Amino acid sequence: MLNERKKRILQIIIEDYISTAEPVGSRTIARQYDLGLSPATIRNEMSDLEVMGFLEQPHTSAGRIPSAQAYRFYVDSMIEPGSLTENDQALIDAWYHERLRNIDEIFQSTAKILSRMTKNVSLVLADNRSSSIFRYLKFLPLDGTRAILCVITDDGVVDNCVVEVPLGMTTEEMDYLAKRISNKLQGYEIIDISQFVLQDVFNNLAEDKILYASIIQALQNIGSTSKEQKVFLGGTKQLLNQPEFRSVERIKDLLTILEEEKVLKDILHVGEDSGIKITIGNENKFTGIQDCSMVQATYRLNGRVVGTMAVLGPTRMEYGKIISVMDYLHHYLKILFDENKQS
């Protein structure tokens, strides 16, 4: 167990190192922080912390740097819940207001904002469409034998494709048919609209084999697409600005992982737990990121998983600010998805 003095010295070293990326010495602590302790006393405490596994000494420096164990203790015991500054909130507000309106754009913007605000790589796994609920469909006449079929889900996603319609079918007839099909399918999750359900639609509503074949193909294609999770990546260039990634081999290894979408999906695999999860160093099971930290959060809106967002970077990251940014983005995502449902 650490006494209060050791905790305070450890916190100073961690936060100073996060800020400067430079090893911290006892004289620096004595000079910059009013602890009422001599450099010798601070040095003795730092030696104890090193023996206990909280500090490490780089070969070329007299100062100390935090270990993965220190960051874990810091994250679990020292970080206070914070909030973003009004300036940071304004930057996020402006970004979202300027650059959206469909679901993919929301997630892409989230990845970009997250990387810019945290100065690290951001990963966003969009899982919202896997449980999209059918809302209604509409036909838009294209020519005498074709129409655009638009399918709208409860989260505001619009999928469309060209379908064949009976020759001479009027706009009024298409609207009538679309309304009856919509009433029949309303409330179904897209992925649950099965051949059996669609056969029932044909028996009771469509009564046209060509049109039925087109509708069933369109809905099955949309259902297939809705099962896919998408990964949005932001800020890979941010890695080049981090002192920890000056090594060409190290940056190559990490960039290789970031190029593998399947690996990223495995890293961001959506679990049952919501909220913030932080993994540090060897706590990450994937070899290429075992000298990194990842702050990850799985979010739900109205009980449904929307997706997972994460920040990946060196263990020397601003954990408190990253958590605050994620909390604010979650708040914004809820507003945006509510707006999409009402549109």
Side-chain angles (χ1 to χ4, degrees), residues 214-229:
S214 297
I215 292 173
I216 192 170
Q217 186 63 54
L219 288 173
Q220 286 179 338
N221 288 344
I222 292 169
S224 175
T225 301
S226 71
K227 296 177 184 177
E228 296 177 2
Q229 295 175 320

Side-chain angles (χ1 to χ4, degrees), residues 82-93 117 321 324-325 328:
S83 58
L84 292 182
T85 65
E86 290 185 2
N87 184 54
D88 284 341
Q89 291 181 23
L91 288 173
I92 293 174
D93 294 349
M117 297 295 292
K321 180 172 183 178
S324 298
V325 171
Y328 192 75

Side-chain angles (χ1 to χ4, degrees), residues 7-231:
K7 287 181 183 178
R8 179 60 180 142
I9 291 173
L10 180 61
Q11 183 175 7
I12 287 171
I13 292 171
I14 292 172
E15 293 178 352
D16 193 279
Y17 185 65
I18 286 174
S19 175
T20 66
E22 296 291 338
V24 184
S26 57
R27 291 186 181 278
T28 299
I29 297 174
R31 185 172 61 252
Q32 295 184 2
Y33 301 91
D34 185 19
L35 298 180
L37 302 173
S38 68
T41 300
I42 295 172
R43 190 159 49 250
N44 288 336
E45 295 286 13
M46 290 173 67
S47 295
D48 289 345
L49 288 167
E50 185 175 359
V51 170
M52 297 169 74
F54 290 100
L55 298 180
E56 298 172 349
Q57 183 176 20
H59 295 299
T60 57
S61 172
R64 303 294 193 277
I65 64 174
S67 65
Q69 178 182 330
Y71 286 119
R72 172 48 62 196
F73 184 80
Y74 177 72
V75 165
D76 291 344
S77 307
M78 295 182 177
I79 289 180
E80 296 291 334
S83 58
L84 292 182
T85 65
E86 290 185 2
N87 184 54
D88 284 341
Q89 291 181 23
L91 288 173
I92 293 174
D93 294 349
W95 183 278
Y96 272 125
H97 286 150
E98 289 175 5
R99 297 168 170 82
L100 334 145
R101 276 303 130 193
N102 64 46
I103 300 298
D104 282 358
E105 286 178 352
I106 289 174
F107 282 118
Q108 185 63 69
S109 288
T110 299
K112 289 180 179 178
I113 293 168
L114 196 52
S115 65
R116 293 193 181 191
M117 297 295 292
T118 64
K119 297 180 174 61
N120 283 295
V121 172
S122 66
L123 308 163
V124 177
L125 179 64
D127 198 58
N128 69 303
R129 300 185 67 190
S130 64
S131 54
S132 295
I133 296 174
F134 179 92
R135 189 172 173 188
Y136 65 91
L137 61 79
K138 184 175 181 61
F139 294 101
L140 301 176
L142 196 58
D143 56 34
T145 59
R146 295 182 304 162
I148 298 172
L149 174 64
C150 299
V151 178
I152 295 85
T153 58
D154 68 328
D155 51 16
V157 174
V158 180
D159 277 291
N160 60 78
C161 64
V162 176
V163 296
E164 293 185 48
V165 297
L167 182 64
M169 191 175 193
T170 66
T171 301
E172 291 74 16
E173 288 173 328
M174 291 183 195
D175 290 343
Y176 175 74
L177 180 59
K179 183 177 180 180
R180 296 198 66 188
I181 295 175
S182 296
N183 289 338
K184 185 67 179 179
L185 298 182
Q186 194 163 26
Y188 278 95
E189 291 190 4
I190 292 291
I191 58 175
D192 289 336
I193 298 178
S194 65
Q195 183 87 20
F196 174 78
V197 173
L198 293 170
Q199 181 66 43
D200 189 46
V201 168
F202 170 68
N203 291 339
N204 291 279
L205 304 173
E207 299 178 359
D208 183 283
K209 291 183 179 179
I210 296 177
L211 180 57
Y212 169 72
S214 297
I215 292 173
I216 192 170
Q217 186 63 54
L219 288 173
Q220 286 179 338
N221 288 344
I222 292 169
S224 175
T225 301
S226 71
K227 296 177 184 177
E228 296 177 2
Q229 295 175 320
K230 292 186 179 181
V231 177

Side-chain angles (χ1 to χ4, degrees), residues 287-326:
T287 305
I289 60 171
Q290 286 185 337
D291 53 359
C292 298
S293 284
M294 186 165 70
V295 182
Q296 178 177 341
T298 297
Y299 292 115
R300 283 174 164 78
L301 296 177
N302 301 320
R304 289 172 47 195
V305 171
V306 172
T308 296
M309 67 175 81
V311 172
L312 179 67
T315 52
R316 183 192 58 84
M317 61 167 57
E318 294 183 88
Y319 295 95
K321 180 172 183 178
I322 290 169
I323 292 170
S324 298
V325 171
M326 284 185 161

Side-chain angles (χ1 to χ4, degrees), residues 238-254:
Q238 300 277 7
L239 292 176
L240 303 177
N241 297 324
Q242 300 286 5
E244 289 86 348
F245 296 104
R246 286 175 182 156
S247 163
V248 175
E249 288 305 314
R250 188 174 181 188
I251 193 69
K252 277 175 57 181
D253 290 344
L254 189 51

